[in-house]
Amino acid sequence: MLLYYFRLAMLSIKKTPLLSFLMIATIAVGIAATMVTYTVNYMMSQDPVPGKSERLFTVHLSSWDPNMGYRIKDGKEDIPIFMTYQDATNLYADKKAHKQTIISFHKAMVRGAEQPSGQATMTYLRPTTHEFFSMLDVPFLYGSPWTEYDDSQGSMVVVLSKKKNEQLFQGQNSLGQEVIIGGSIYRVIGVLDDWLPLPRFYTENSDAYSEPRGLFFPFQSSINNDWFSGTDGSVYCWGGVDLIDLDAVKASECVWLFYWVELESAELRNEYLAYINSYAQEQRELGRFQREQMNRVMNVAEFIEYNEVVKKDGRIAVWLAAAFLIACLLNSMSLMMTKFHGKGAEVGLRRAVGASKVDIARQFFCETLIIGLSGGVIGLALAQLGLHITAQVYSYLHSELMDMNLSLMLLTIGLSVLSSALFGLYPIYRACQIQPSSQLKSL
Amino acid sequence: MLKMSNIAKIYLTDTVKTQALQPFNLDIKAGEFVAVVGPSGSGKTTFLNITGLLEDYSEGSYFLNDQDVTDLSDRQKSRLRNEQIGFIFQSFNLIPELNLFDNVEMPLRYRKFSAKERKNRVVDALTKVGLVNRQAHYPQQLSGGQQQRVAIARALAGSPSFLLADEPTGNLDSSMADGIMSLLKDINTAGTSILMVTHDLQQAAKADRIVEIRDGVLTENESINQVVA
């Protein structure tokens, strides 16, 4: 019987091609607009380290000026999301967490050792510690991260991103090759595979949707090289510091380093926070940390939320798109009512020859499903087009943000079918209420 | 076969109460051919709708093949219509986008017949009306008389106890009308009861019995029946 209903639905759609086209087009446009907006927002809101984000925490300390708060956020005093050099290295040396890493920034001219100096390009760099890779589940194409020993010695070793390896070494296995970074020779010990944590949660929100930096090397080596630059990252200071002098910065209360820890379980969070508070108390006794203590640890989801990585505007856009979809569906609903009303005589006839109201409802429900499915398929194609155009317009954002995965594609079709079915219920109900006796003279 | 006792129909709106049919009794026996005559607006269609379970009545009781239909649900009434009643309409009421086979098959779709059973019944019904070789044609490819024959085949396909015909010859010229009446008479002779609404006394005269409705009052019209006799 279901096949019969679908056959009738197809005949009905063919019988009123313009009306059917308008219904399908209305749904398709609404679905496309919603899914373009939702896809971008969804991809921005993905869990960047699935299975681990509950156990990764960034540590924030109340180390700021006792005479003036750091900043006001949501009407309350807030503390820095960065850490001073002395606190980061103290906590790192303590190794109280399962794993911990310091994340810094720098930029310098970079080229392969075989390349002429004229081919050097200004490159954003990521000085960090060896745990960074295992904590963030970074995949390697060749080689491996450096060791704890390299960290302690500040070894001149470097891990390249896949893209940077393609730029410098045409994508070849470059292990053992040399790279000149800011005039210093570094040896390649690892090349990353494709790696794009979206959002890139571990630093500032302005970097959240751009590609990861191309070179990673031991934090200590950047210190050994006296590398410090306030131009490609944030450095906030109080107490008068000469930012040209790295030793002065290291000894100062300037905050500029991100500090992340991995705990063995999310339940150990409070225990770790107690350790942080106890560290802060020790520092207070040494004359630092004189403001009210608001030290905190935030897991990945909390930091993404706090850091406003996903802008509220994006969520509002999704709501607006959903409202637009509802407007489209209401429009489609009115077209359905017109269409089903026009089939009153057929309803009357079918009722007369033995169809119950349920039979009529099933017949029209199949029609709304086909309309919804068609709207979904066309909407999916329009959404792909919309995402392609969006990717062109916002070319500074990573193109993966504009890619629908399979589940989003299925969601598009499902949403279209479901919403069409839902908004078709009232027209179907009205059609079922048609009195057959009033229609039998009008077929 | 069909027994109506004190059936009446009243239409109520907020301010107006309209008595469409005064209380009446009617008894139709199996195999009878009854014509219902009366002027336009007299209540014939209301009577036909009530008889065909398409409209509820306000008072009285109605037994169809010994089954009281008063409190049946929508689904039960639909099933009864499907199994017991065949409808024939003045304007044929064929669905233009379905071919003759599909049009005749329509009532059978709402019964749990196998595809083979449906096919046999459709072919039988179309054979009875002489259109079996045109089953793949569409209604608009046929003349009015042929379309009404298809409608009759549709009514017959489910083997109903009786046919309800609403002005079956109203849209046809006299020669086609005679053909349809002849076909109905043959069907009746084969054992199917027929209740036919018409305002054409000449066609009504071909029935076994005539009932008249005038201003909502249904009466056995003895004088006409005598004329018919």
Side-chain angles (χ1 to χ4, degrees), chain A residues 7 349-353 440, chain B residues 74 81-82 87 93 102 110:
Chain A
R7 195 176 137 229
L349 174 66
R350 288 187 179 278
R351 297 275 286 122
V353 301
L440 286 170
Chain B
D74 175 71
R81 273 199 301 273
N82 184 265
F87 286 90
N93 287 23
D102 290 335
Y110 299 108

Side-chain angles (χ1 to χ4, degrees), chain A residues 36 39-41 43-44 198 383-384 386-405 408:
Chain A
V36 166
T39 298
V40 175
N41 204 265
M43 296 306 281
M44 281 182 165
L198 282 176
Q384 296 291 353
L387 286 168
H388 179 71
I389 293 168
T390 310
Q392 303 294 316
V393 173
Y394 296 97
S395 55
Y396 60 89
L397 293 175
H398 198 281
S399 59
E400 281 206 16
L401 281 176
M402 317 299 170
D403 273 351
M404 265 193 187
N405 56 28
L408 280 173

Side-chain angles (χ1 to χ4, degrees), chain A residues 177-217:
Chain A
Q177 300 281 342
E178 290 180 335
V179 177
I180 313 284
I181 304 174
S184 301
I185 299 173
Y186 277 73
R187 181 172 49 85
V188 178
I189 58 157
V191 176
L192 301 186
D193 204 346
D194 290 319
W195 181 56
L196 183 70
L198 282 176
R200 188 143 65 82
F201 62 95
Y202 50 85
T203 57
E204 295 182 75
N205 59 8
S206 55
D207 289 339
Y209 299 107
S210 53
E211 288 183 15
R213 296 188 171 205
L215 286 90
F216 302 77
F217 54 85

Side-chain angles (χ1 to χ4, degrees), chain A residues 211-429:
Chain A
E211 288 183 15
R213 296 188 171 205
L215 286 90
F216 302 77
F217 54 85
F219 172 61
Q220 187 58 44
S221 82
S222 74
I223 298 296
N224 293 349
N225 288 339
D226 222 13
W227 283 346
F228 179 76
S229 162
T231 56
D232 69 319
S234 298
V235 181
Y236 295 92
C237 299
W238 60 276
V241 184
D242 179 6
L243 289 177
I244 305 296
D245 181 359
L246 179 58
D247 285 333
V249 173
K250 282 161 62 182
S252 75
E253 293 294 349
C254 292
V255 291
W256 50 290
L257 298 168
F258 277 96
Y259 191 80
W260 283 84
V261 297
E262 178 186 330
L263 303 181
E264 283 181 296
S265 75
E267 288 70 38
L268 293 173
R269 171 188 188 139
N270 286 340
E271 196 177 307
Y272 189 78
L273 181 60
Y275 155 70
I276 291 296
N277 283 332
S278 122
Y279 168 78
Q281 187 58 36
E282 282 174 20
Q283 295 299 311
R284 194 179 175 91
E285 284 162 14
L286 294 171
R288 301 176 64 218
F289 290 64
Q290 293 303 305
R291 290 192 74 78
E292 183 188 350
Q293 289 303 286
M294 300 163 65
N295 311 308
R296 68 189 174 211
V297 294
M298 282 182 174
N299 66 23
V300 173
E302 289 166 347
F303 187 57
I304 286 173
E305 174 78 22
Y306 167 88
N307 215 12
E308 295 175 8
V309 167
V310 181
K311 302 287 184 204
K312 284 177 184 160
D313 295 358
R315 286 179 198 152
I316 291 169
V318 172
W319 283 112
L320 286 174
F324 177 65
L325 174 62
I326 289 172
C328 289
L329 287 167
L330 286 171
N331 223 325
S332 175
M333 189 166 99
S334 72
L335 291 169
M336 269 185 222
M337 288 181 75
T338 306
K339 176 163 184 159
F340 291 168
H341 184 74
K343 291 169 76 75
E346 184 187 329
V347 172
L349 174 66
R350 288 187 179 278
R351 297 275 286 122
V353 301
S356 64
K357 288 180 181 176
V358 175
D359 291 320
I360 299 297
R362 283 180 184 154
Q363 179 185 330
F364 287 149
F365 191 69
C366 288
E367 193 164 338
T368 60
L369 289 183
I370 290 179
I371 288 168
L373 184 66
S374 308
V377 171
I378 296 172
L380 182 62
L382 289 178
Q384 296 291 353
L385 182 68
L387 286 168
H388 179 71
I389 293 168
T390 310
Q392 303 294 316
V393 173
Y394 296 97
S395 55
Y396 60 89
L397 293 175
H398 198 281
S399 59
E400 281 206 16
L401 281 176
M402 317 299 170
D403 273 351
M404 265 193 187
N405 56 28
L406 182 64
S407 59
L408 280 173
M409 288 185 187
L410 292 175
L411 177 70
T412 306
I413 306 282
L415 178 68
S416 179
V417 173
L418 190 72
S419 54
S420 304
L422 193 68
F423 279 74
L425 288 179
Y426 185 63
I428 290 171
Y429 170 78

